[in-house]
Amino acid sequence: MSLVCACPILECVYCLGCARWAWKKCLYTAGRESENWGFASSTEFEPVPRICRYILGVYEFDIRNPLWAPPGGYGINPDSVVLKKNYDENQGKVSPYMIYIDKDNQDILLLISGLNMAKESDFLLLLDDKLGQTKFDGGYVHNGLLKAAQWVFDTECDVLKELVEKYEDYTLTFAGHSLGAGVVTLLTMLVVKNRDKIGNIDRKRIRCFAIAPARCVSLNLAVRYADVINSVVLQDDFMPRTSVALEVLFKFLFCFPCILCATCLKETCTLQEHMLQDPRRLYAPGRLYHVLVRKPFGVGRISPTVKTAVPVDGRFEHMVISCHIISDHSIALMEREFQSALDTLKEKDHVMDIPTQQRMERSTSLAMEHSEEHKAALARAVALDVPEAYLPSEYGTFQKAQSMNDSAHGSSRRQSWDELAARILDTDEKGESVLKSDWY
């Protein structure tokens, strides 16, 4: 009898709990994660709208006779296009891409388009992301995107090396949207790890703009490469926020509210500490730029605002319930909104009135500020015990710093016997284990 009486009470508690969760989730708006971030300047945000137009140009079949050019055109000189490859030439390994020399801005660009819903190869690439399947540089990455990035690197390595050596003062920029953003992220990391194959290019000459990227790298990698990789997100965009496996997401594409509700419930009930300490959990990469153009719940527009930071915790962790979560993923809409945001920043900063010398000094100070913020983010990741997070050595490489950090943390970072044996032992012709020559 007592059990029967308790059932209505349990139902009431359950209903109240669900109502409280729904109320809190509905109050979670896009500006919540970036409310404590700093404001971006027009100087650092200036390349973003221009690069969005360049990415739009990759979708054209003939760049000399564009069919879908935005007002003012793409700003691409067809004579400066080094190469442009479509799906047939890419053998389904990656979406279309283009290498372009921007002589006005002294930039060598490799641009990759986003997901094409009509191409099965794009879906297969995006869905190849089993949790914890692929390790890279001490962290985890999206398996399919890494394969695509490796293919582009192997195919265009010689072309990029020739261009880098020819244009010694130019920046090497990788940029892409959505699926392409994930590919260029991992391509940038491959180039940084193999700079000797690209003419020993200096790390400071490499940069990446990932427009609305999929979550493709673990947290330690997302923070470590924040000095070269920049992710740009428009307000409510779902792609950088969804931590659910992309295979599940597209499997339930026709019942999107169902998967959205399940994802929101799971993320709300997962503790922040568990998220941070899961080494296989993937995140949006690098330094983040969050562009806000609407009031909460889409009830009206605001003057465009661009917030930026290298966050460790609160890195687009939760989905936003909004009618704009899909439309904010459109590259065409992003180009318009980003250009509007840049115009607003220029008006506030009075960039047109600043002398050239002062503008150069501002760029130098901005680079120093970003460097200090990057170091602070690395320290924050170490303080939060993010797996494989470590501070770079002041005199050495990240690898040396990792070794020092591992020894400092003692047993918590101690290698297993199998890892140690693989490092110092080798197998001879008889199948016996012998000490490697470099360990004598």
Side-chain angles (χ1 to χ4, degrees):
M1 186 68 179
S2 59
L3 292 175
V4 174
C5 295
C7 286
I9 298 176
L10 292 175
E11 289 180 0
C12 290
V13 171
Y14 177 76
C15 291
L16 287 173
C18 291
R20 179 178 178 273
W21 168 81
W23 175 252
K24 289 184 66 177
K25 197 63 190 178
C26 288
L27 289 181
Y28 187 89
T29 57
R32 180 75 64 84
E33 54 262 286
S34 61
E35 60 184 350
N36 296 321
W37 297 4
F39 290 94
S41 68
S42 59
T43 303
E44 59 184 306
F45 194 71
E46 184 274 332
V48 176
R50 170 166 45 85
I51 286 175
C52 285
R53 288 190 289 273
Y54 292 166
I55 295 173
L56 280 169
V58 182
Y59 291 90
E60 293 284 357
F61 295 107
D62 184 0
I63 199 66
R64 294 181 183 274
N65 300 292
L67 300 176
W68 309 291
Y74 296 114
I76 295 176
N77 180 3
D79 296 329
S80 296
V81 175
V82 178
L83 60 85
K84 187 174 183 294
K85 293 187 176 181
N86 56 29
Y87 282 101
D88 293 334
E89 294 170 304
N90 294 341
Q91 306 168 22
K93 301 292 185 179
V94 67
S95 51
Y97 64 86
M98 175 174 70
I99 296 180
Y100 174 63
I101 306 299
D102 184 359
K103 295 182 179 179
D104 293 335
N105 297 283
Q106 296 188 326
D107 213 354
I108 304 166
L109 297 112
L110 192 152
L111 309 150
I112 303 182
S113 64
L115 174 72
N116 186 337
M117 301 288 284
K119 292 293 182 179
E120 183 182 1
S121 59
D122 281 2
F123 279 102
L124 294 176
L125 176 63
L126 197 59
L127 302 186
D128 184 9
D129 70 331
K130 292 181 181 178
L131 189 64
Q133 181 176 355
T134 305
K135 293 199 71 175
F136 179 84
D137 196 18
Y140 288 91
V141 298
H142 187 290
N143 184 62
L145 297 180
L146 179 62
K147 289 180 181 177
Q150 185 68 61
W151 187 88
V152 175
F153 181 77
D154 294 339
T155 305
E156 309 301 345
C157 180
D158 293 336
V159 176
L160 293 176
K161 180 180 180 180
E162 181 181 343
L163 294 174
V164 165
E165 292 175 346
K166 181 179 179 180
Y167 301 97
E168 296 180 353
D169 297 329
Y170 282 30
T171 305
L172 178 59
T173 300
F174 301 94
H177 167 247
S178 187
L179 171 70
V183 176
V184 295
T185 293
L186 296 173
L187 178 57
T188 302
M189 293 166 63
L190 282 170
V191 169
V192 170
K193 293 287 291 180
N194 300 275
R195 283 177 289 162
D196 56 317
K197 296 182 179 180
I198 312 290
N200 289 312
I201 183 173
D202 186 53
R203 184 180 177 122
K204 294 180 180 179
R205 288 178 59 193
I206 304 171
R207 64 177 180 174
C208 170
F209 288 94
I211 312 298
R215 296 165 72 103
C216 56
V217 295
S218 56
L219 185 54
N220 62 323
L221 295 178
V223 176
R224 194 191 312 164
Y225 283 89
D227 58 326
V228 292
I229 299 176
N230 306 280
S231 292
V232 190
V233 179
L234 178 60
Q235 193 131 345
D236 299 333
D237 189 359
F238 77 96
M239 184 62 83
R241 291 182 168 90
T242 177
S243 59
V244 67
L246 294 172
E247 181 178 2
V248 176
L249 179 65
F250 283 98
K251 190 179 295 183
F252 289 91
L253 187 61
F254 298 103
C255 188
F256 193 77
C258 301
I259 192 66
L260 177 64
C261 181
T263 302
C264 290
L265 181 61
K266 178 183 176 182
E267 291 178 347
T268 303
C269 297
T270 304
L271 296 176
Q272 179 77 10
E273 293 78 9
H274 292 168
M275 293 182 182
L276 292 175
Q277 293 175 5
D278 182 358
R280 301 172 301 171
R281 186 179 177 85
L282 304 184
Y283 292 82
R287 168 176 288 276
L288 301 179
Y289 289 87
H290 194 197
V291 182
L292 302 172
V293 297
R294 291 182 299 271
K295 294 180 181 178
F297 311 111
V299 296
R301 292 188 62 86
I302 60 173
S303 178
T305 303
V306 184
K307 306 293 271 309
T308 182
V310 186
V312 179
D313 40 350
R315 177 178 279 265
F316 291 134
E317 282 291 358
H318 300 286
M319 293 285 288
V320 175
I321 297 180
S322 165
C323 59
H324 299 282
I325 60 173
I326 296 180
S327 62
D328 281 350
H329 191 64
S330 165
I331 183 66
L333 176 63
M334 287 181 183
E335 187 275 328
R336 294 195 298 270
E337 296 291 7
F338 293 168
Q339 184 60 55
S340 175
L342 178 61
D343 293 340
T344 302
L345 290 175
K346 285 185 174 181
E347 290 177 6
K348 292 180 178 179
D349 293 348
H350 300 288
V351 169
M352 303 305 294
D353 300 330
I354 300 177
T356 304
Q357 182 64 31
Q358 293 185 17
R359 212 176 300 174
M360 292 176 62
E361 292 175 357
R362 172 55 184 154
S363 297
T364 303
S365 64
L366 188 64
M368 293 178 63
E369 291 172 10
H370 281 190
S371 178
E372 292 300 320
E373 189 175 1
H374 184 212
K375 291 178 182 178
L378 290 168
R380 172 71 173 164
V382 172
L384 291 174
D385 289 330
V386 173
E388 300 295 336
Y390 49 80
L391 289 171
S393 170
E394 187 175 353
Y395 303 103
T397 63
F398 275 101
Q399 286 77 11
K400 292 179 181 178
Q402 185 178 21
S403 299
M404 294 170 61
N405 222 32
D406 287 345
S407 60
H409 281 76
S411 59
S412 62
R413 301 284 180 89
R414 191 168 296 157
Q415 294 178 316
S416 67
W417 162 248
D418 291 338
E419 292 172 339
L420 181 60
R423 177 171 294 187
I424 66 175
L425 296 178
D426 204 348
T427 304
D428 61 11
E429 297 177 354
K430 299 180 180 179
E432 298 179 356
S433 298
V434 294
L435 196 64
K436 289 184 178 180
S437 59
D438 54 354
W439 281 83
Y440 288 154

